[in-house]
Amino acid sequence: MLGRGTVADQILEVVNSHPHCTLDELTQRLQEWNWSEVFIEVDRLSRLGRLRLTQSGAGFVTTLQAL
């Protein structure tokens, strides 16, 4: 069960407990937030150096890694 907190807190909690999860997996785990809220916060955390976004495979699956 995720703790209460900001979307950023919850994103980092999920990514820390599920390293290399995809953006789709993240949004499935954070159903109380809509996709755009999660995406905006992932982008912000990436720009701050808190997350790393990587693309893998021909399907361009974006994976997340907490730093």
Side-chain angles (χ1 to χ4, degrees), residues 2-60:
L2 292 174
R4 301 282 179 214
T6 67
V7 66
D9 294 336
Q10 291 182 28
I11 288 168
L12 292 172
E13 184 177 337
V14 168
V15 175
N16 279 319
S17 62
H18 299 90
H20 305 289
C21 71
T22 66
L23 187 55
D24 285 340
E25 291 168 345
L26 181 65
T27 58
Q28 289 173 3
R29 293 180 184 278
L30 300 176
Q31 292 184 1
E32 70 185 79
W33 306 96
N34 67 47
W35 187 90
S36 63
E37 291 171 314
V38 173
F39 180 79
I40 288 167
E41 198 58 28
V42 164
D43 181 54
R44 188 182 76 80
L45 290 168
S46 175
R47 291 173 192 269
L48 291 173
R50 307 272 315 266
L51 282 180
R52 177 179 299 146
L53 301 168
T54 57
Q55 292 183 346
S56 60
F60 299 106

